[in-house]
Amino acid sequence: MRTLIVALGERSYPIRIGSGFLRDVSLITPLLPQKRVAVVTNTTIAPLYLSGLRAALEAAGVAVVPVILPDGEQYKTWETLNLIFDALIEHRCERRTTLIALGGGVVGDMTGFAAATWQRGAPFIQMPTTLLAQVDSSVGGKTAINHPHGKNMIGAFYQPLAVCADLEPLQTLPLRELRAGLAEVIKHGLIRDAAFFEWLEANIDALLARDPAALEHAVVRSCEIKAAIVAEDERELEVRALLNFGHTFGHAIEAGLGYGDWLHGEAIGAGMIMAADLSRELGYLDAAEVARIQALIGRAGLPVTGPKLPRARYLEHMSVDKKTRDGATRFVVLERLGSARIQTGVAQAIVEGVLARRIA
Ligand code: NAD
Ligand code: GLY
């Protein structure tokens, strides 16, 4: 097992990366303020993993309230969030009842937001079961639901007590979801670590074949990068925005299509190529570097062009991006492979040029 720390003073917490956490809860039970938890999951993950986790918790004397949500990004809404609160009220859960998020980023983000607001703040633990959640969404305390016009628009920064990333469930993840998770792994190399990007070029096939050692390295290195950035800037005043590389375009794809058509990671795959093209237009990358980024994203099986939406729809959704400051859209661009920066004052014509070239 590997343990990393997200260093946030009194809100610091461990990220555990290993195997068997869904059967052996000895890492979790010491963290619980009360011998009672609500395990929030969904209709796909529950039949695979809920009974094992529940049995292990109950064997350790912990009472379990299961909360099973519908599965899908289109359910990342107020209505679904209320299902969590309904269950917590029905079962007389208290402020010290820990919420455990068992699932991917959708379950994790919604459970975290429920924990942030349930009785003004309950403890929660992330048990991510997708690659995307293990390398990105379970770490750093961003919790949210979507607004029909804006991705993750309503939420809170609220840190978990711990992240327990069990690599075993990655073996049952649909291939399309594994590919989506690789988008965020590639992002971490692009923004912070050129050597990791090169390692990904050499190991992308091993990752797609779910080689356990390759997956462990990808999760550990991604979490190291993300934990360091979050520790520097928890509330995204500046440097944390770099984790949004590809997301200004990607969120516009997701919102423009209506959530749940393209996966988040797929939208980020195409969005990163758009952002790399923008970086070239601004004079940072050369065409060969953009081609190299596109080649890796393509080998990961992710889309390399955006969907054919009206350009005005892209621009409209990009204008409600959360990085927008004083009405101006801000982009994350690469100044070189392994190093990112925030760019303001990008002329609309340049953005439109990128869209014209990069929409299928
Ligand atoms: P997801 O949560 O929808 O999970 C993907 C699919 O895989 C779902 O159908 C799920 O039921 C299924 N699944 C999960 N684990 C499985 C397993 N082990 N075996 C079989 N099936 C399994 O999608 P995701 O990609 O994990 O997360 C995407 C979400 O994460 C988006 O809503 C995005 O906005 C959010 N996100 C948040 C952050 C953050 O910092 N909070 C960062 C990145 C993404
Ligand atoms: N996924 C971007 C962030 O956590 O800041």
Side-chain angles (χ1 to χ4, degrees):
M1 181 182 73
R2 293 287 303 271
T3 300
L4 310 173
I5 300 292
V6 184
L8 290 168
E10 61 182 13
R11 282 168 293 104
S12 298
Y13 55 93
I15 306 169
R16 313 278 192 186
I17 300 161
S19 292
F21 301 152
L22 301 181
R23 294 187 301 273
D24 174 356
V25 292
S26 55
L27 288 174
I28 292 175
T29 46
L31 304 174
L32 304 176
Q34 179 186 61
K35 288 217 159 229
R36 193 150 191 251
V37 297
V39 178
V40 183
T41 187
N42 73 24
T43 49
T44 304
I45 301 154
L48 293 170
Y49 300 113
L50 179 60
S51 62
L53 178 62
R54 182 176 189 168
L57 285 163
E58 288 177 349
V62 178
V64 176
V65 174
V67 184
I68 301 175
L69 306 177
D71 182 9
E73 181 76 34
Q74 65 274 33
Y75 296 108
K76 203 176 170 188
T77 59
W78 279 117
E79 290 72 23
T80 314
L81 190 70
N82 257 327
L83 297 177
I84 304 178
F85 297 132
D86 290 347
L88 297 177
I89 287 174
E90 184 190 337
H91 292 277
R92 305 284 183 272
C93 293
E94 300 174 3
R95 186 184 280 161
R96 295 190 322 142
T97 306
T98 299
L99 276 63
I100 296 182
L102 174 67
V106 172
V107 165
D109 281 11
M110 279 198 295
T111 307
F113 189 33
T117 46
W118 171 249
Q119 300 199 6
R120 301 195 182 90
F124 92 109
I125 294 173
Q126 291 274 16
M127 299 198 78
T129 61
T130 65
L131 181 61
L132 184 137
Q134 296 190 353
V135 301
D136 191 349
S137 64
S138 65
V139 174
K142 277 191 181 175
T143 74
I145 56 171
N146 296 328
H147 183 277
H149 297 295
K151 173 86 178 148
N152 294 334
M153 270 296 151
I154 304 147
F157 287 98
Y158 191 68
Q159 302 294 342
L161 295 178
V163 177
C164 296
D166 187 335
L167 299 167
E168 286 175 18
L170 298 183
Q171 299 298 329
T172 60
L173 196 61
L175 180 59
R176 187 176 170 200
E177 300 291 348
L178 187 79
R179 295 182 191 284
L182 288 173
E184 304 283 11
V185 177
I186 293 169
K187 176 193 79 181
H188 288 129
L190 285 172
I191 64 167
R192 265 289 161 107
D193 186 349
F196 183 47
F197 180 80
E198 281 169 28
W199 181 89
L200 289 168
E201 291 181 311
N203 289 278
I204 194 75
D205 295 332
L207 289 166
L208 287 166
R210 302 172 205 242
D211 172 75
L215 284 173
E216 181 176 337
H217 181 67
V219 175
V220 168
R221 187 65 196 122
S222 289
C223 287
E224 283 171 348
I225 290 170
K226 179 149 187 187
I229 291 176
V230 169
E232 225 179 296
D233 178 21
E234 181 186 10
R235 298 182 74 89
E236 199 171 306
L237 299 176
E238 209 51 61
V239 71
R240 186 167 179 169
L242 302 183
L243 289 167
N244 259 276
F245 178 67
H247 286 56
T248 309
F249 293 103
H251 285 167
I253 292 171
E254 285 184 272
L257 286 172
Y259 302 108
D261 190 350
W262 279 33
L263 301 179
H264 175 72
E266 292 171 339
I268 298 314
M272 288 194 293
I273 295 171
M274 292 176 173
D277 193 17
L278 178 63
S279 311
R280 185 195 53 76
E281 274 289 313
L282 297 172
Y284 297 120
L285 296 184
D286 61 31
E289 288 169 316
V290 177
R292 202 172 148 192
I293 294 167
Q294 177 164 341
L296 181 59
I297 291 170
R299 284 178 64 206
L302 294 161
V304 294
T305 49
K308 212 170 182 46
L309 295 169
R311 243 177 274 168
R313 176 112 49 106
Y314 272 92
L315 294 170
E316 183 194 325
H317 286 298
M318 285 161 73
S319 72
V320 294
D321 185 80
K322 289 188 291 307
K323 289 183 297 306
T324 301
R325 215 177 255 179
D326 300 328
T329 307
R330 300 186 309 148
F331 289 90
V332 183
V333 295
L334 297 181
E335 37 193 14
R336 56 182 182 280
L337 288 184
S339 180
R341 56 171 284 153
I342 305 281
Q343 189 80 32
T344 49
V346 179
Q348 176 150 326
I350 293 186
V351 179
E352 291 199 23
V354 169
L355 292 173
R357 279 190 298 281
R358 300 290 168 176
I359 295 173

